[in-house]
Amino acid sequence: MAPDKVKQENNGILSDADKVKGLAIMMNPKSVAIVGASQNPDKVGHVILQNYLDVGYSGKLYPVNANAAGKILGLESYRNITEIKKPIDLAVIAIPAKFTSELITECHKAGVKSIVVVSSGYAEIGEVKLEQELIDLANKYKIPLLGPNCLGVMDLKSRVDTLFLPTFKIDRPSIGGVSFVSQSGAVGSSTLDIIANEGFGLSKFISYGNASVIDETDILNYLAKDEDTKVILYYIEGVKRGRAFIEAAKKATLKKPIVVLKGGRTEAGSKAAHSHTASLAGSYEAYDAVFRQFGLIRADDIQDFVSFSKIFVSQPKCTGNRIAIMTNGGGVGVVGTDSLYSNGLQLAELSEESKKALKKALPPIVGVNMPIDMAGDADDKRFSATLDIISKDPNIDAIMAITLFQTPGADSRVASTLIHYGTTMEKPMVVVSIGGSYTAVHKMMMERSGIPVYDSPNTASRALAALIGYSKYLHRMRK
Amino acid sequence: MPGKLVDYVEAYKMLGAYEIKAAEAKYVSSAKEAIEFSHGGEPLAMKVISEKALHKSKSGLVRLGLSKPADIEGAFEDLSAKAQKIKPYKILVQKMVKGDKEIIVGGKTDEQFGKLILVGLGGIYVETFKDVAIRVCPINEYDANEMLDQLKSGKIIAPDEQSRKMLTNLLLKVSKFILDHKEIEELDLNPVIIYEGGYCAVDLRLMR
């Protein structure tokens, strides 16, 4: 092969920088072509177009359908993407897999800047050749491509939304600082639906499916630099480029917390088990080692995504593990104390000054030892007096405020007090509130104001432990 | 897939170049040679080495604490008889190492992340407790310390500053060894016996 030929081929291959740039375009396109858009509500392309209209996307929309005649959902339609003859930042492809290769070439002719292929029917069902064609064409024409076999992207700010899930079936989150990346569409959509009902809000959602061109490492590189993203959630089953992923993760974890849930933990051990090491250090264990070593926060379950996000978006970093517990219900304080220790934390001890101050400020029925049992009739004044003292105690690194709204003294004024201290003091605070509809109202009130509220002491302790673990990592790496 | 076990004596030399200490050993072809290796009564271990026997202690192919000439001779004959089924084989005699704790130090090549290093509670407890910590190579001193902290048995295998320092040093050396020897797909030093003021790997399994 002649040297100039090799060079030419290399020039055609998408670099990591090209893919990061492609993601940025995908997330904030001025114009979107939806290929496979249809008037028929059973078609994926119909749902995608309808969603763009529902969420109020303000850029240009071009429905494309080979059989189109007239308008689709009120918009002028095109039989072929090359007929549009205007700039196209993003093409969303929702047509059968066998037609997609041809379409990529047409996208190139039409000057498309980025592509999301939501269609399935590629390597995941053994159609390796079709997927390889997609990869080769995307590289040949230098068009960054996400998918196939994915839900695509969603950006709450730019209102791009390629998800083929109708807005009445899945709630869309409010705008926030968490970005969520999922290899799996199912984990992605169900988690998204839960996040929508949480107070912290979402910045971006990226479902990348088969990762044929843009993979998890590219997405990590992109989100690490994205200013709207404060916390990254990752669901992965595997990474394509292990060492590149490590390099990306090393840099990204210094900038923002990355919570990762690895699917496939129980996968059978290594086939080549000649040694103890080989059988003990299987694929999952290798991922686990990478996460520990490079500062990623390990989630055990989908629920961890929510409980970790809450604390990371709202609370300050904290490298100490001495936790004060204040409670208006003695028993839950005991359970809370246990949960600290089972998560590697410890109950703080009050300083002598704090003890004196508490004795003075609180009625005699309140003991001034940890956990501080403020008694069932504690009202906002008692919460306030306690918080005022312990927030200044140098022996305390973080606070768990157990607040049971079933009690006579607990009402919206208590919630307001917690919001006041939780948003102004320098220490992290978590609230534990267990209960039904009355509790739910106050939970919402506090969470919308940036106070993480948990429905069990253990979930709260897990979240605190995650925050402290990551803070310690940062502290060490920045030293 | 890793295939070939590196011969003990060769592995001993390779590790020795990195100051990784292992039990001195020699292949013997007669009971007489084995008795000579014991230098008049130093306790020996005797093992059958064969590609066909991966777990020697389970298969009854290891004899420990041999010091009397009669015992050495008896063990040699017994193991030779047992080894007939797993030819080709060799018989290795090794200086016995006395200690109170056993750990495993391992390495492997992961298809995604490359070389990994492992440490854990060793010997017969490896499979039962699976108390191990793993990192990607190269590791630094902090990583080595964290690996020990991660183990439930960390306080048992490294109870004081001195033993901790010794083990973190060992881990750093093994990390360097496995990175330098790309061809070694898997490595088991199991058990590594820890005694007052030192350690010694008594079984070396390097696969390439």
Side-chain angles (χ1 to χ4, degrees):
Chain A
M1 196 181 286
D4 54 347
K5 180 84 190 288
V6 177
K7 202 168 163 227
Q8 206 175 12
E9 280 193 0
N10 282 343
N11 278 346
I13 288 174
L14 283 158
S15 70
D16 283 9
D18 291 334
K19 290 187 276 180
V20 168
K21 231 163 80 190
L23 276 162
I25 294 169
M26 240 171 244
M27 285 304 191
N28 193 9
K30 304 274 177 297
S31 48
V32 181
I34 295 164
V35 185
S38 165
Q39 195 66 30
N40 178 354
D42 293 337
K43 299 280 185 193
V44 164
H46 175 94
V47 181
I48 295 174
L49 181 58
Q50 184 66 57
N51 284 347
Y52 268 93
L53 299 171
D54 288 349
V55 301
Y57 172 70
S58 60
K60 298 253 181 334
L61 276 175
Y62 307 114
V64 179
N65 190 316
N67 307 314
K71 294 189 168 183
I72 297 177
L73 290 171
L75 295 168
E76 192 188 336
S77 67
Y78 302 83
R79 281 171 179 268
N80 192 298
I81 196 161
T82 53
E83 289 171 12
I84 297 172
K85 301 199 189 306
K86 281 173 202 143
I88 303 165
D89 283 350
L90 170 64
V92 183
I93 299 181
I95 58 170
K98 59 182 174 184
F99 301 123
T100 48
S101 292
E102 196 185 333
L103 190 73
I104 305 291
T105 305
E106 287 166 4
C107 282
H108 166 65
K109 285 181 195 153
V112 167
K113 295 200 188 88
S114 68
I115 296 175
V116 172
V117 182
V118 301
S119 318
S120 55
Y122 300 86
E124 79 280 6
I125 58 156
E127 293 285 351
V128 178
K129 200 170 149 271
L130 265 183
E131 186 151 329
Q132 192 57 50
E133 274 175 30
L134 220 57
I135 296 170
D136 293 344
L137 289 168
N139 277 299
K140 183 177 169 192
Y141 300 128
K142 261 190 131 176
I143 312 176
L145 181 148
L146 188 71
N149 186 31
C150 70
L151 288 174
V153 297
M154 178 192 242
D155 185 319
L156 277 294
K157 213 158 120 185
S158 73
R159 303 198 175 182
V160 60
D161 187 337
T162 70
L163 274 59
F164 53 84
L165 307 163
T167 48
F168 66 88
K169 282 197 173 176
I170 169 171
D171 300 331
R172 299 307 203 254
S174 54
I175 298 179
V178 175
S179 285
F180 174 38
V181 187
S182 180
Q183 185 163 10
S184 146
V187 171
S189 52
S190 52
T191 307
L192 210 55
D193 209 1
I194 308 176
I195 291 176
N197 290 290
E198 294 291 334
F200 54 81
L202 194 80
S203 175
K204 293 169 181 69
F205 169 64
I206 302 173
S207 148
Y208 61 93
N210 294 3
S212 63
V213 178
I214 291 177
D215 63 20
E216 47 288 312
T217 303
D218 302 314
I219 299 170
L220 193 53
N221 283 330
Y222 165 69
L223 289 176
K225 284 190 194 134
D226 177 49
E227 286 184 3
D228 292 330
T229 300
K230 311 291 180 213
V231 177
I232 303 173
L233 308 179
Y234 243 91
Y235 173 76
I236 58 172
E237 279 160 18
V239 304
K240 293 230 159 169
R241 296 178 288 152
R243 296 307 299 197
F245 182 81
I246 287 178
E247 290 312 313
K250 262 190 204 170
K251 286 186 204 134
T253 50
L254 294 182
K255 290 186 182 153
K256 48 193 87 171
I258 301 166
V259 180
V260 54
L261 174 61
K262 163 82 174 80
R265 181 188 310 209
T266 47
E267 181 187 23
S270 168
K271 279 169 235 141
H274 280 268
S275 58
H276 286 296
T277 303
S279 65
L280 291 165
S283 161
Y284 176 79
E285 288 75 15
Y287 279 94
D288 192 67
V290 168
F291 300 159
R292 282 175 187 272
Q293 202 167 346
F294 303 107
L296 296 118
I297 301 140
R298 294 164 303 135
D300 268 355
D301 194 4
I302 291 170
Q303 201 53 45
D304 281 345
F305 277 150
V306 172
S307 53
F308 291 1
S309 293
K310 280 189 215 184
I311 197 165
F312 279 113
V313 290
S314 66
Q315 298 304 301
K317 304 281 180 296
C318 170
T319 53
N321 68 346
R322 300 164 305 171
I323 316 296
I325 293 184
M326 51 185 276
T327 177
N328 64 347
V332 184
V334 176
V335 178
T337 305
D338 291 342
S339 76
L340 292 181
Y341 287 90
S342 54
N343 286 288
L345 307 171
Q346 62 180 59
L347 192 63
E349 274 180 43
L350 287 164
S351 69
E352 287 310 314
E353 291 93 285
S354 295
K355 280 186 186 172
K356 267 185 224 152
L358 282 168
K359 245 181 208 152
K360 219 165 137 190
L362 299 174
I365 55 158
V366 176
V368 292
N369 286 310
M370 281 292 166
I372 304 168
D373 184 356
M374 298 177 294
D377 61 344
D379 58 3
D380 59 313
K381 291 184 191 67
R382 213 177 286 171
F383 270 84
S384 175
T386 308
L387 280 165
D388 204 48
I389 294 160
I390 64 175
S391 62
K392 293 173 194 144
D393 190 328
N395 292 354
I396 292 168
D397 298 311
I399 295 169
M400 182 189 290
I402 299 173
T403 312
L404 305 175
F405 282 96
Q406 295 83 4
T407 61
D411 56 20
S412 302
R413 285 171 294 185
V414 166
S416 298
T417 304
L418 290 166
I419 290 169
H420 171 71
Y421 282 96
T423 51
T424 51
M425 72 180 174
E426 282 166 19
K427 294 170 185 170
M429 183 180 88
V430 294
V431 172
V432 175
S433 287
I434 308 162
S437 52
Y438 187 74
T439 300
V441 171
H442 290 96
K443 179 186 167 186
M444 181 70 87
M445 181 179 159
M446 289 186 276
E447 293 211 316
R448 295 274 177 204
S449 306
I451 305 298
V453 184
Y454 297 95
D455 57 11
S456 89
N458 192 53
T459 321
S461 290
R462 269 184 71 73
L464 277 169
L467 177 75
I468 293 164
Y470 176 64
S471 305
K472 281 183 174 166
Y473 177 81
L474 274 188
H475 182 74
R476 170 166 73 85
M477 297 311 285
R478 284 175 180 168
K479 229 179 355 195
Chain B
M1 192 163 132
K4 217 169 165 327
L5 180 68
V6 178
D7 169 78
Y8 185 98
V9 175
E10 190 191 344
Y12 174 86
K13 282 184 194 146
M14 287 167 74
L15 293 166
Y18 286 74
E19 296 174 333
I20 298 165
K21 291 172 207 138
E24 200 189 328
K26 188 184 180 221
Y27 289 112
V28 291
S29 48
S30 68
K32 187 168 163 271
E33 275 183 59
I35 293 164
E36 276 165 17
F37 187 76
S38 101
H39 299 293
E42 280 177 32
L44 297 182
M46 193 180 288
K47 301 173 180 180
V48 177
I49 305 290
S50 163
E51 297 260 344
K52 291 171 191 153
L54 291 174
H55 298 291
K56 292 184 283 290
S57 57
K58 276 187 206 159
S59 329
L61 299 174
V62 178
R63 299 288 294 271
L64 302 172
L66 308 167
S67 50
K68 290 182 199 147
D71 291 345
I72 296 173
E73 197 173 340
F76 185 85
E77 270 151 30
D78 173 42
L79 291 183
S80 306
K82 278 185 183 156
Q84 293 309 313
K85 278 178 277 177
I86 47 170
K87 275 181 176 174
Y89 71 92
K90 287 192 272 189
I91 290 183
L92 186 82
V93 285
Q94 203 177 33
K95 292 273 165 64
M96 280 291 283
V97 182
K98 274 201 184 139
D100 44 359
K101 290 156 215 156
E102 295 190 347
I103 64 165
I104 175 173
V105 177
K108 79 164 253 190
T109 311
D110 180 79
E111 58 176 17
Q112 265 313 329
F113 300 113
K115 299 290 183 184
L116 305 179
I117 182 168
L118 168 148
V119 66
L121 192 60
I124 56 168
Y125 300 115
V126 174
E127 300 270 344
T128 315
F129 294 121
K130 296 187 167 61
D131 184 23
V132 296
I134 301 163
R135 291 294 182 277
V136 179
C137 296
I139 57 166
N140 57 31
E141 207 176 326
Y142 181 91
D143 295 326
N145 273 298
E146 271 224 324
M147 290 175 83
L148 297 177
D149 289 339
Q150 191 186 324
L151 297 177
K152 292 194 187 82
S153 56
K155 291 247 162 61
I156 301 174
I157 65 177
D160 52 52
E161 215 30 59
Q162 196 195 352
S163 54
R164 175 172 275 265
K165 188 84 198 144
M166 178 181 84
L167 290 184
T168 51
N169 271 336
L170 169 63
L171 291 174
L172 291 169
K173 283 176 193 162
V174 172
S175 167
K176 180 158 172 39
F177 177 86
I178 51 193
L179 276 181
D180 288 354
H181 294 80
K182 297 272 182 267
E183 78 285 3
I184 303 293
E185 291 275 325
E186 293 175 22
L187 169 148
D188 262 2
L189 310 182
N190 182 38
V192 176
I193 292 181
I194 300 174
Y195 54 87
E196 190 63 42
Y199 73 87
C200 185
V202 298
D203 200 1
L204 316 175
R205 173 164 296 279
L206 278 64
M207 308 290 300
R208 67 175 151 213

